[in-house]
Amino acid sequence: MYIGNQENVARIIFSPKMIYKGKLLPAAFELRIQIHEDYLSVLRTSISSWQEEMCRIPNRKNRTAVGYALLNVGEIRSLSYADTVYDVLDKSSETILSHAGITITYQSTPIIGGLNIENLDASESEDFIRMAIRYKLVKLAQKHLIMK
């Protein structure tokens, strides 16, 4: 199902990895290496069950949900530049109806946690590209950060 530009999505923020003294950290938008994550999980706020589903996401000994960042889908897509494209896709399931994912491609190849970015020129730094991607999302998310 297509997600329109007018919709908003919420990225759950966990402490201590994603936030420090009220400022989002780049880790808030880092694709997990250990599971070769290919999208950043978000919840569609246009789906009435999103807050209930957010509350069901477990805290763990090393992370506590402290709030969420509200992001507009059109603004996420507008972050696209040159060879880097941002999108938001439906990832709903029977248990999480509001689930969606922010995807990023570089030169039409998906960016995946733990895997090298393909098609890089010798002059391009993979670390720089990944950091630039996270920085753009952090800057956007910081505008609408809702803390518990």
Side-chain angles (χ1 to χ4, degrees):
M1 173 191 295
Y2 179 76
I3 299 175
N5 285 341
Q6 74 285 358
E7 284 195 51
N8 291 320
V9 293
R11 173 79 170 157
I12 300 172
I13 304 302
F14 293 97
S15 178
K17 184 180 179 184
M18 295 182 175
I19 195 159
Y20 180 73
K21 294 186 178 180
K23 293 284 185 187
L24 280 179
L25 301 174
F29 294 98
E30 188 170 1
L31 293 165
R32 292 177 288 175
I33 293 170
Q34 62 275 23
I35 63 168
H36 299 297
E37 192 170 42
D38 61 353
Y39 65 88
L40 300 159
S41 287
V42 291
L43 300 173
R44 296 173 64 188
T45 62
S46 64
I47 307 295
S48 62
S49 58
W50 80 273
Q51 288 181 311
E52 175 190 320
E53 292 166 353
M54 180 174 61
C55 291
R56 289 196 315 244
I57 296 171
N59 289 313
R60 297 193 176 107
K61 65 179 179 178
N62 63 340
R63 72 175 199 180
T64 303
V66 295
Y68 61 92
L70 196 62
L71 302 121
N72 175 265
V73 171
E75 288 181 344
I76 293 169
R77 289 179 176 141
S78 73
L79 295 174
S80 299
Y81 63 99
D83 293 327
T84 306
V85 176
Y86 295 73
D87 201 0
V88 181
L89 304 175
D90 179 55
K91 300 287 183 178
S92 60
S93 68
E94 288 182 22
T95 56
I96 307 176
L97 299 175
S98 66
H99 193 217
I102 299 172
T103 62
I104 304 106
T105 58
Y106 183 77
Q107 295 183 353
S108 303
T109 302
I111 301 225
I112 299 172
L115 299 181
N116 291 333
I117 299 174
E118 298 176 13
N119 306 322
L120 289 182
D121 293 333
S123 64
E124 297 175 304
S125 163
E126 181 167 347
D127 289 340
F128 177 80
I129 291 168
R130 287 183 184 274
M131 183 56 74
I133 287 167
R134 290 191 300 263
Y135 175 77
K136 283 182 168 245
L137 288 165
V138 164
K139 191 173 179 184
L140 180 61
Q142 189 70 46
K143 294 188 330 185
H144 301 287
L145 190 59
I146 293 97
M147 305 302 289
K148 290 183 182 179

